[in-house]
Amino acid sequence: MYECFLEIAFEAELNTKDDPECLAIALEQCNENPSTRNAAIRELRELIYERAECEPHRTDDAFLLRFLRARNFIIPRAHKLLVRYCNFRSQYPHLYHGVDLWGLTKVKDAYEGTMLDRPDVGRLSIFRFGTWDPNEFPVEDLIRAGMAMTEIGIRQPKLQVLGGTVLVDLEGLSLRHVACLTPTIAYQIVCLMGVATPTRLNSCHIINYNWLLNSFFYIFKRFIPQQTWSRIFFHGHDLESLHRHIDPACLPARYGGTCRNHVSTGKWFQKIKKYRDSQFDKEMKALGYLVKE
């Protein structure tokens, strides 16, 4: 029964259609009014052409809606986010252009996700950089995987509306890892967490850190927007503190939770490959990825 549920959840990852429940939550979460939504999309599109600050690869309704939802339908903020998104892609084409999408399974457990999406948490993503062996693949592949997961995730209307919560588990982090975290890499990670992507970051929680935290966090600090600081929480090794912010029902057993449906990035990519359709392939290829059979 459990495996059957997971397979249904994996197949739903590629759903790009709004459902009534999602639209009801969008009004509360994103300030999205069905009666004015089309007008807002048109206004954003006109702003793109009028200001000519970016040249997005798409300007269709579904694509622009992602940016409006990420910025609560405040059109100037949605436009500013779209400009940052385009600039980020233009600045770092090596993170997606010609990247073998299915080859990103190599990151294995460095990222995890729990497929129990709720309005209070959204999609819980777990970063476990301490499990990554720098000798196995470069840090850029971690960024490439994060970018691909973001692009795939934001195709799904439910995740556009619910957003996500990030849990950064620094257990196992060593000087070898910190040495790979250059300011450029730190900037790219922050961009992928909502600064330059149409995603809604509900909160970020950092746990299981040691004296290396100061070095690790110092690199990130200057790139984190001021308004984001109120959503970042440090818990040390205190799981009770974590549970005050994230319901244990949403957490794997490793963090004192009861959620069973958590998967590694490697497995997630395998299931996306299994259930994808021609529209998915078309969109990912348009983004620059290699989508092999």
Side-chain angles (χ1 to χ4, degrees):
M1 181 66 71
Y2 169 67
E3 288 299 324
C4 180
F5 168 80
L6 265 187
E7 289 301 316
I8 294 171
F10 283 126
E11 193 169 2
E13 288 291 89
L14 296 169
N15 178 26
T16 58
K17 296 180 180 178
D18 281 311
D19 60 59
E21 183 181 355
C22 176
L23 292 175
I25 297 172
L27 179 62
E28 180 181 347
Q29 300 274 76
C30 308
N31 196 34
E32 180 176 341
N33 187 330
S35 65
T36 59
R37 179 170 72 173
N38 290 339
I41 292 172
R42 286 196 300 271
E43 188 174 340
L44 176 57
R45 187 180 293 113
E46 290 168 2
L47 201 57
I48 294 168
Y49 298 137
E50 177 187 319
R51 295 193 177 178
E53 295 177 20
C54 63
E55 295 183 10
H57 69 289
R58 291 172 56 182
T59 57
D60 56 277
D61 288 6
F63 181 73
L64 297 183
L65 182 58
R66 302 172 184 179
F67 294 87
L68 288 165
R69 283 174 166 168
R71 290 299 180 265
N72 294 329
F73 271 73
I74 301 172
I75 294 169
R77 292 186 62 210
H79 178 261
K80 186 176 180 180
L81 177 61
L82 178 59
V83 171
R84 284 201 299 265
Y85 172 83
C86 292
N87 288 343
F88 180 74
R89 283 179 49 81
S90 176
Q91 191 173 1
Y92 303 109
H94 66 284
L95 295 179
Y96 61 90
H97 186 69
V99 172
D100 177 5
L101 193 60
W102 313 128
L104 295 173
T105 57
K106 70 177 73 173
V107 304
K108 299 176 185 175
D109 297 328
Y111 296 105
E112 286 182 344
T114 60
M115 299 171 72
L116 180 68
D117 306 320
R118 304 190 335 185
D120 58 335
V121 175
R123 173 65 57 87
L124 177 65
S125 297
I126 304 169
F127 298 177
R128 301 177 65 207
F129 296 143
T131 67
W132 159 57
D133 182 354
N135 293 324
E136 192 173 342
F137 55 85
V139 67
E140 286 80 9
D141 281 343
L142 283 178
I143 308 301
R144 291 184 179 104
M147 188 169 185
M149 287 189 295
T150 300
E151 290 288 2
I152 294 170
I154 59 177
R155 295 178 75 249
Q156 189 177 163
K158 179 179 68 171
L159 294 184
Q160 295 170 18
V161 171
L162 296 182
T165 296
V166 172
L167 178 60
V168 183
D169 183 351
L170 297 181
E171 184 175 6
L173 196 75
S174 69
L175 285 171
R176 281 196 315 151
H177 296 106
V178 174
C180 297
L181 292 173
T182 64
T184 297
I185 294 297
Y187 173 71
Q188 291 168 352
I189 292 173
V190 171
C191 282
L192 292 179
M193 291 174 67
V195 170
T197 54
T199 53
R200 300 171 58 83
L201 178 66
N202 297 322
S203 59
C204 176
H205 303 267
I206 303 173
I207 64 169
N208 294 335
Y209 45 82
N210 55 29
W211 59 274
L212 283 172
L213 173 69
N214 289 336
S215 300
F216 177 85
F217 206 66
Y218 176 78
I219 303 170
F220 286 86
K221 222 160 46 167
R222 59 177 162 150
F223 303 120
I224 298 174
Q226 188 64 40
Q227 65 268 27
T228 304
W229 284 101
S230 63
R231 287 175 278 157
I232 299 177
F233 303 91
F234 297 85
H235 304 285
H237 292 81
D238 186 352
L239 292 181
E240 289 187 7
S241 174
L242 179 65
H243 295 169
R244 285 194 287 272
H245 294 268
I246 303 177
D247 187 337
C250 299
L251 292 165
R254 181 190 308 118
Y255 307 112
T258 57
C259 183
R260 295 177 59 201
N261 57 341
H262 57 95
V263 295
S264 69
T265 299
K267 183 175 182 180
W268 185 80
F269 272 119
Q270 290 170 1
K271 295 298 184 180
I272 293 295
K273 182 179 181 180
K274 176 181 177 181
Y275 289 113
R276 79 192 200 276
D277 57 17
S278 59
Q279 182 61 30
F280 173 89
D281 286 4
K282 180 181 177 181
E283 290 183 20
M284 298 310 290
K285 287 176 180 177
L287 285 167
Y289 292 99
L290 291 178
V291 185
K292 300 177 182 179
E293 293 303 321

